[in-house]
Amino acid sequence: MEAKATQALLNELLETLKDGEKGYSEAVTDVEDHDLKEVFKKYALQRDGYLTELEDQMHQLNLKAEEESSITGTIHRAFINLKSAITSKSRHSILAECERGEDYAVKAYETALKAEGLPGQLKSIIEKQYAGIKQGHDEIKALRDSAA
């Protein structure tokens, strides 16, 4: 895979992870349900760890992370409505917004996994992270379904 394409793909994943980490971190401080605080804390830490892994890979591949959000990252801010859902205090609304963010993260990783010619180590990391992202998605969806 061409370095420029790899960099663009990784930057999209980085933006997605930053968005999720920020969304979950803010939710931890704003949500009242103790069990949700714990779930959101877990996924904020997960996304932060994944960011570090991908940034390390970019450094090893001599690629640069974009300092500014990409256009798609700005348009698709996955957790943009989480704040208003938390304000409503509806457990279902909060989890529905989290699931929407998780849907976006799953799609971003699925797109990355379809990329041809990724370096082996990078592909392994993306596959491992995808499994964690998918598990997070499924947990949030199950919590949302049980809150209905």
Side-chain angles (χ1 to χ4, degrees):
M1 181 175 221
E2 187 182 316
K4 199 169 208 159
T6 301
Q7 182 169 330
L9 181 134
L10 289 173
N11 278 318
E12 188 62 33
L13 290 180
L14 289 175
E15 286 302 314
T16 300
L17 291 168
K18 286 176 190 173
D19 205 29
E21 190 278 330
K22 183 177 183 224
Y24 282 127
S25 292
E26 288 176 3
V28 166
T29 61
D30 294 337
V31 77
E32 292 177 356
D33 296 2
H34 183 71
D35 65 320
L36 290 185
K37 279 185 183 289
E38 291 304 311
V39 170
F40 294 163
K41 192 182 301 179
K42 174 175 71 173
Y43 289 120
L45 288 170
Q46 177 200 60
R47 303 305 155 89
D48 188 54
Y50 288 179
L51 271 165
T52 302
E53 281 184 320
L54 287 184
E55 287 169 343
D56 287 349
Q57 279 298 299
M58 289 186 86
H59 180 72
Q60 289 177 24
L61 296 168
N62 286 329
L63 301 174
K64 289 196 185 257
E66 288 179 7
E67 293 302 317
E68 295 295 316
S69 297
S70 67
I71 298 297
T72 53
T74 304
I75 292 170
H76 295 301
R77 281 291 178 229
F79 282 85
I80 198 121
N81 295 320
L82 184 55
K83 200 73 158 168
S84 61
I86 290 171
T87 305
S88 78
K89 306 254 190 274
S90 161
R91 185 177 174 93
H92 185 269
S93 297
I94 292 165
L95 290 164
E97 280 308 311
C98 289
E99 185 189 5
R100 197 171 65 79
E102 291 297 315
D103 287 344
Y104 183 74
V106 166
K107 284 184 186 132
Y109 271 83
E110 286 173 347
T111 298
L113 288 171
K114 290 177 189 165
E116 298 289 324
L118 286 174
Q121 174 73 10
L122 178 59
K123 185 161 182 78
S124 294
I125 289 170
I126 292 172
E127 287 170 346
K128 177 187 72 80
Q129 289 185 359
Y130 172 71
I133 296 286
K134 186 78 172 90
Q135 178 185 354
H137 171 274
D138 294 348
E139 181 177 4
I140 294 294
K141 183 178 186 316
L143 285 168
R144 189 220 53 202
D145 290 348
S146 70

